[in-house]
Amino acid sequence: MTANTDRRVTADLPAEEATREELVERALALQPLLRAHAARADEQRVIPAEVVEALSEAGIFRLLTPRRFGGYETDLRTLTEVSETLGEADGATAWTAMIISVTNWLASLFSDEAQEDVFGVDPDARVTGVAAPTGVGCRVPGGWSISGKWAYNSGAPHATWAAVGALLQDEEGAVVDQALVLIPAAELMIEDTWHTAGMRGTASNTLIGRDIFVPEHRVLSVPAASQGVYSRSFRKDEPLYSSMFGSMLLLCLTGPLLGLGTAALNTVTSAALEKPLSFTVHGRQADSVGVQMQLAEAALRLRTARLHVYDAVDQVDREGGSLEYVTRTQVRAQAGYAAQNVIEAISTLLNVHGAGAFADASPLQRIWRDANVAARHAGLVPAVGFEAYGKSLLGITEPVTLMV
């Protein structure tokens, strides 16, 4: 992993203007390229360089980067619509693009000096990360010495920086905080551990760091961030960076899943107009009432998922840092519920299409694998969201997770 450190730009860099509709159109224009390379990304377990370059040129990685560093500084709705559109063509590429975009947002919650370190040097910086605190930080003069292993770092090969979780310890070894720390990608090693059934192209390998010095200004307290308290200076003209930590980092995961669901529905519906229903009198699946009912059920499940996702997304964008705790738990529950509806819809659609869906040549098998892996992300586990939301509804204040 290498970082671009050969140039520095001034703050308040003029940003290219683009509407949400224009950015979604750019994502739509990328679909043929993504489809053409989807099988290759899956086989080689990494997004091809030409696809990454195309995403960069389209500005996808800068969706949530501050305007003063040349980003678009859009909102969660735009990120979700763009990643949904990309997901219709390839789930792994959509996931990778989404992760880099939202982790750029995360890096923008750090101190102003840290933001300069990341984006001041390179407006096209690509930050990836792992929030789980599987690293340890020991106090040293001016900051922390960080060591750890961080698994499931999606987009690791394409990153210039990483935001990784660590438990910070005092001189006696007692944990004094849980934090995210920003580390240049060049200072980390990648261990090839991402051998999975689905989302293979995300290259979500393990990062390893030993005794890496992290200055104090590149540290963000997770308990504080979970309450909307960030290290950055408050800027009234940048409301995006007041949005709630957990809600942003959870809801962003749903966009690629929505795209995968749409891709499955379109593929199966199109095939049903010509594909026979074996061992029946129906020359076309489309003529079967059973098929018609299953397609309707799947389409409604996908619509349910979209309604929940965009209801929650719009609420997060609208209320920003004023999002109340009970609403944040509802958002968490909605994200997990939506993900489950997507994978249930895809399962029904593959039942309709039949065994041919699992042929190597069929995109359905990759859609099925990718969706089922993505929906198992820790942030989308339904039981956790349901418990947190149920407790809130009952007035029980016991926290379940910081990620709400």
Side-chain angles (χ1 to χ4, degrees):
M1 301 174 78
T2 59
N4 180 357
T5 57
D6 62 352
R7 58 195 174 101
R8 178 167 292 275
V9 299
T10 59
D12 301 315
L13 183 73
E16 178 187 353
E17 295 294 328
T19 66
R20 177 183 300 154
E21 292 74 17
E22 288 170 341
L23 291 165
V24 172
E25 281 296 320
R26 292 184 196 179
L28 189 63
L30 288 170
Q31 285 185 346
L33 178 69
L34 269 58
R35 289 193 179 97
H37 290 281
R40 176 182 164 199
D42 185 68
E43 180 182 352
Q44 297 182 354
R45 297 185 302 113
V46 67
I47 306 303
E50 54 263 53
V51 175
V52 175
E53 183 62 27
L55 291 168
S56 182
E57 289 180 358
I60 304 301
F61 299 137
R62 290 186 286 120
L63 291 177
L64 303 185
T65 300
R67 286 194 189 96
R68 56 196 163 87
F69 292 116
Y72 292 111
E73 197 178 317
T74 59
D75 53 20
L76 183 57
R77 176 90 191 201
T78 302
L79 175 64
T80 306
E81 288 192 18
V82 166
S83 59
E84 178 180 3
T85 302
L86 296 175
E88 291 180 25
D90 180 39
T93 299
W95 187 272
T96 302
M98 172 274 296
I99 287 292
I100 292 174
S101 294
V102 80
T103 316
N104 280 3
W105 172 83
L106 177 61
S108 302
L109 307 183
F110 283 71
S111 69
D112 296 1
E113 188 177 356
Q115 293 174 57
E116 281 288 344
D117 289 347
V118 176
F119 301 112
V121 168
D122 181 10
D124 288 314
R126 301 170 191 162
V127 188
T128 60
V130 178
T134 53
V136 174
C138 300
R139 172 65 79 179
V140 295
W144 301 86
S145 177
I146 305 292
S147 297
K149 295 180 71 172
W150 297 275
Y152 310 146
N153 191 85
S154 300
H158 321 299
T160 55
W161 285 79
V164 293
L167 298 176
L168 304 183
Q169 300 177 343
D170 63 16
E171 291 77 4
E172 284 73 40
V175 174
V176 295
D177 201 0
Q178 177 182 338
L180 282 163
V181 298
L182 280 170
I183 299 175
E187 297 181 19
L188 295 164
M189 297 179 291
I190 299 178
E191 183 179 356
D192 186 5
T193 56
W194 187 244
H195 298 270
T196 56
M199 281 289 171
R200 292 160 51 87
T202 63
S204 303
N205 290 303
T206 299
L207 299 180
I208 301 175
R210 295 188 181 92
D211 301 322
I212 297 174
F213 174 70
V214 175
E216 192 69 52
H217 70 268
R218 289 196 217 138
V219 176
L220 179 72
S221 170
V222 172
S226 72
Q227 301 304 311
V229 178
Y230 306 135
S231 301
R232 72 191 318 273
S233 297
F234 174 74
R235 288 173 176 255
K236 190 174 182 180
D237 61 339
E238 293 184 343
L240 174 64
Y241 308 106
S242 296
S243 298
M244 292 307 300
F245 181 79
S247 300
M248 285 286 291
L249 296 180
L250 295 172
L251 271 176
C252 66
L253 306 173
T254 60
L257 275 163
L258 293 177
L260 286 164
T262 298
L265 179 63
N266 291 342
T267 301
V268 173
T269 302
S270 177
L273 296 173
E274 297 180 356
K275 190 175 187 290
L277 187 61
S278 300
F279 303 123
T280 73
V281 298
H282 298 301
R284 303 185 314 159
Q285 289 182 330
D287 297 325
S288 164
V289 172
V291 167
Q292 294 162 8
M293 292 178 66
Q294 289 179 90
L295 286 176
E297 178 188 356
L300 288 173
R301 282 195 180 277
L302 293 175
R303 182 169 176 78
T304 294
R306 290 192 89 256
L307 289 170
H308 274 287
V309 166
Y310 284 107
D311 172 73
V313 162
D314 289 343
Q315 195 156 14
V316 170
D317 280 338
R318 183 172 59 250
E319 299 188 24
S322 64
L323 205 64
E324 295 184 356
Y325 181 74
V326 65
T327 307
R328 286 152 49 197
T329 62
Q330 175 188 311
V331 164
R332 167 89 193 227
Q334 285 180 287
Y337 184 65
Q340 290 303 300
N341 271 276
V342 171
I343 59 174
E344 288 173 15
I346 290 174
S347 179
T348 297
L349 290 166
L350 266 68
N351 287 342
V352 168
H353 193 78
F358 296 94
D360 286 344
S362 172
L364 288 169
Q365 50 81 22
R366 187 172 57 253
I367 290 169
W368 177 73
R369 289 187 287 112
D370 285 351
N372 275 274
V373 170
R376 267 72 181 189
H377 187 284
L380 296 175
V381 174
V384 174
F386 292 169
E387 180 183 356
Y389 186 35
K391 277 182 164 63
S392 291
L393 291 173
L394 292 167
I396 299 173
T397 58
E398 176 191 356
V400 179
T401 173
L402 292 175
M403 295 297 289
V404 292

